[in-house]
Amino acid sequence: MQMGRVIGSVWATRKEEGLNGLKLLIIQPIDANQQPIRTEIVAADRIGAGVGDDVLITSGGSSRYIMKENPLPIDAVVIGIIDSTEVMRGEVNE
């Protein structure tokens, strides 16, 4: 899992049949300090996230199985909307 911030939406009137009814969001991955990391990704959303929301996403093969009976051709999916986070401040040893 990783954290991200919804920064936009993607509209596609023509898409794979299994994707009908799924909202597609542009997600900016963020670190524990709310700073952007990596490049943006597109993730499917069934839980109602919107622009400005911080979300949990999962990617890779496991995201295809949000509907057990019908694997979907997706690479990332929103699995939660973050209410709050708590991060210990201080020096980080790498």
Side-chain angles (χ1 to χ4, degrees):
M1 280 188 289
Q2 62 183 334
M3 294 186 300
R5 182 164 293 127
V6 180
I7 61 171
S9 298
V10 175
W11 288 271
T13 55
R14 298 176 69 167
K15 55 190 170 198
E16 284 293 323
E17 190 174 304
L19 298 177
N20 289 332
L22 283 177
K23 186 166 50 168
L24 301 175
L25 299 174
I26 303 169
I27 310 290
Q28 171 62 66
I30 57 175
D31 65 17
N33 295 311
Q34 310 292 312
Q35 297 303 306
I37 55 174
R38 296 188 296 281
T39 59
E40 301 86 359
I41 62 172
V42 174
D45 173 53
R46 294 190 317 159
I47 61 175
V51 173
D53 285 339
D54 288 343
V55 295
L56 289 173
I57 57 172
T58 192
S59 60
S62 62
S63 61
R64 296 184 60 221
Y65 296 100
I66 59 173
M67 300 171 77
K68 291 181 186 179
E69 68 285 347
N70 185 25
L72 300 174
I74 58 176
D75 187 55
V77 64
V78 175
I79 58 171
I81 299 172
I82 298 172
D83 294 315
S84 65
T85 58
E86 183 177 333
V87 179
M88 187 174 95
R89 300 290 181 207
E91 197 171 308
V92 176
N93 295 322
E94 295 186 29

